[in-house]
């Protein structure tokens, strides 16, 4: 099943059924859907966590749902009761006083992911990637904050392997964020907004600036041995950045959603593409399965 988050509800393809009309979908996290920065839906269940900040991201873990918020907040929610607790360790993360935004507002938790070994990666915008090892509430900063990270994604089965879409290219760690490598060779630009992983395939969106000039999507392998631009069936350039959360891949099925309401689908891991639909509201998130 293809699920597409928009500024006006959650759409399922190919049936084109819609849930939560009138609500903006901020994130799709397994069975959970985050809308309007305040509500979490699963089936017929809706929770409104008592969190003072706008919720930007949700990530289900073993016994909770992690919530990343505006003003760089991190919370843990009990999915049965909706009760939330703030992560005090994250509030004391090193380098926190230096986090910022280019428009002089407070920094946000933008994305969160968890590796198969339990390592937690939190992408702060702008504040790099902050990490906590499994069963450890102590957080460490792992990347220069000026790398300007827009999405972090851990490999679902390979411990220690994670990728990040940054303003300095595609970053990769193979040692649980002790070190990061940045890759731009073969890309037409170095400003990356979205990253997705499945098996041995990585997709990353790339533009020449934050304004989205000459935006495209590339594919590569886990070794980042080279980039191939996804072009067969796609526009020459997307009209603006392919944003955080708007690229997805699961097995050989891949999706790209753009702000014009078009969903592009690939069934061969990103080699060729076709239009799945082209008349949805502005797209905010895509998910497979």
């Amino acid at each position: 099943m293809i699920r597409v988050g928009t500024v006006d509800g959650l759409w399922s393809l190919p049936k084109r059924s819609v849930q939560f009309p009138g609500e903006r979908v901020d994130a799709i996290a397994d069975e959970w859907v985050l809308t309007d920065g305040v509500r979490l839906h699963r089936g017929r269940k809706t929770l409104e966590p008592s969190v003072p900040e706008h919720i930007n991201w949700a990530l289900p873990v073993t016994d909770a749902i992690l919530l990343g918020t505006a003003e760089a907040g991190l919370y843990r929610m009990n999915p049965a009761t909706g009760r939330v607790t703030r992560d005090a360790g994250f509030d004391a993360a090193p380098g926190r006083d230096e986090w910022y935004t280019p428009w002089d507002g407070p920094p946000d938790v933008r994305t969160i992911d968890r590796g198969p070994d339990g390592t937690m990666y939190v992408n702060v915008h702008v504040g790099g990637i902050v990490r906590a090892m499994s069963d450890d509430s102590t957080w460490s900063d792992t990347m220069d904050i000026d790398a300007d990270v827009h999405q972090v994604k851990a490999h679902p089965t390979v411990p220690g392997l994670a990728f990040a879409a940054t303003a300095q290219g595609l970053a990769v760690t193979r040692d649980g964020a002790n070190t990061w490598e940045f890759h731009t060779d073969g890309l037409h630009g170095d400003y990356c907004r979205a990253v997705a992983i499945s098996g041995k395939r990585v997709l990353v969106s790339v533009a020449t600036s934050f304004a989205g000039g000459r935006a495209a999507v590339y594919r590569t392998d886990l070794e980042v041995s080279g980039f191939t631009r996804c072009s067969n069936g796609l526009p020459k350039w997307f009209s603006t950045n392919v944003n955080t959360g708007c690229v997805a891949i699961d097995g050989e099925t891949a999706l790209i959603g753009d702000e014009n309401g078009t969903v592009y689908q690939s069934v061969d891991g990103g080699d060729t593409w076709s239009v799945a639909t082209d008349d949805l509201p502005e797209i905010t998130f895509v998910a497979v399965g």
Side-chain angles (χ1 to χ4, degrees):
M1 181 175 65
I2 296 172
R3 293 180 292 167
V4 183
T6 76
V7 296
D8 187 10
L10 176 72
W11 296 74
S12 297
L13 301 179
K15 292 183 178 180
R16 292 182 58 85
S17 59
V18 62
Q19 295 175 278
F20 324 123
E23 299 182 44
R24 175 190 174 93
V25 174
D26 297 298
I28 302 170
D30 295 338
E31 297 178 349
W32 292 91
V33 179
L34 171 66
T35 64
D36 291 339
V38 296
R39 286 177 291 279
L40 283 161
H41 308 272
R42 184 177 66 177
R44 297 183 178 180
K45 182 175 185 176
T46 296
L47 297 175
E48 293 195 17
S50 180
V51 174
E53 304 90 359
H54 184 281
I55 303 170
N56 298 322
W57 199 264
L59 178 72
V61 293
T62 303
D63 57 352
I65 299 176
L66 298 182
L67 307 175
T69 74
E71 301 186 28
L74 183 65
Y75 295 83
R76 181 178 291 266
M77 185 187 78
N78 183 319
T81 65
R83 182 176 180 271
V84 295
T85 55
R86 187 170 176 114
D87 191 315
F90 189 75
D91 286 338
R96 186 181 181 95
D97 291 343
E98 299 177 8
W99 298 348
Y100 71 98
T101 55
W103 50 90
D104 295 326
D108 288 350
V109 170
R110 188 178 178 104
T111 67
I112 311 170
D113 211 0
R114 182 177 188 267
D117 57 355
T119 301
M120 295 297 312
Y121 306 88
V122 178
N123 154 211
V124 178
H125 189 256
V126 175
I129 293 174
V130 187
R131 176 202 67 191
M133 307 299 287
S134 178
D135 301 322
D136 186 352
S137 60
T138 302
W139 294 87
S140 304
D141 56 345
T142 72
M143 184 185 290
D144 181 352
I145 65 174
D146 290 325
D148 193 6
V149 182
H150 301 113
Q151 186 171 3
V152 63
K153 192 73 175 173
H155 195 283
T157 61
V158 181
L161 181 61
F163 294 81
T166 84
Q168 298 178 8
L170 178 66
V172 59
T173 180
R174 305 182 191 282
D175 54 15
N178 289 320
T179 59
W180 291 90
E181 306 166 355
F182 289 80
H183 297 267
T184 59
D185 192 22
L187 301 177
H188 75 279
D190 54 13
Y191 187 89
C192 303
R193 272 284 183 91
V195 62
I197 312 167
S198 182
K200 297 183 178 181
R201 185 65 59 93
V202 181
L203 299 178
V204 59
S205 70
V206 181
T208 55
S209 75
F210 70 92
R214 298 172 68 200
V217 173
Y218 288 78
R219 63 185 188 274
T220 187
D221 53 27
L222 300 186
E223 290 72 35
V224 197
S225 57
F227 290 101
T228 300
R229 184 174 162 187
C230 299
S231 57
N232 190 342
L234 294 179
K236 182 177 181 180
W237 302 111
F238 290 94
S239 60
T240 189
N241 279 302
V242 177
N243 211 355
T244 303
C246 290
V247 179
I249 184 169
D250 183 13
E252 292 296 296
T253 300
L255 301 173
I256 299 170
D258 71 14
E259 69 169 10
N260 299 316
T262 302
V263 179
Y264 300 90
Q265 180 180 5
S266 173
V267 295
D268 54 15
D271 294 338
T272 61
W273 298 81
S274 61
V275 173
T277 188
D278 62 0
D279 58 354
L280 295 183
E282 179 184 338
I283 293 169
T284 56
F285 214 96
V286 294
V288 186

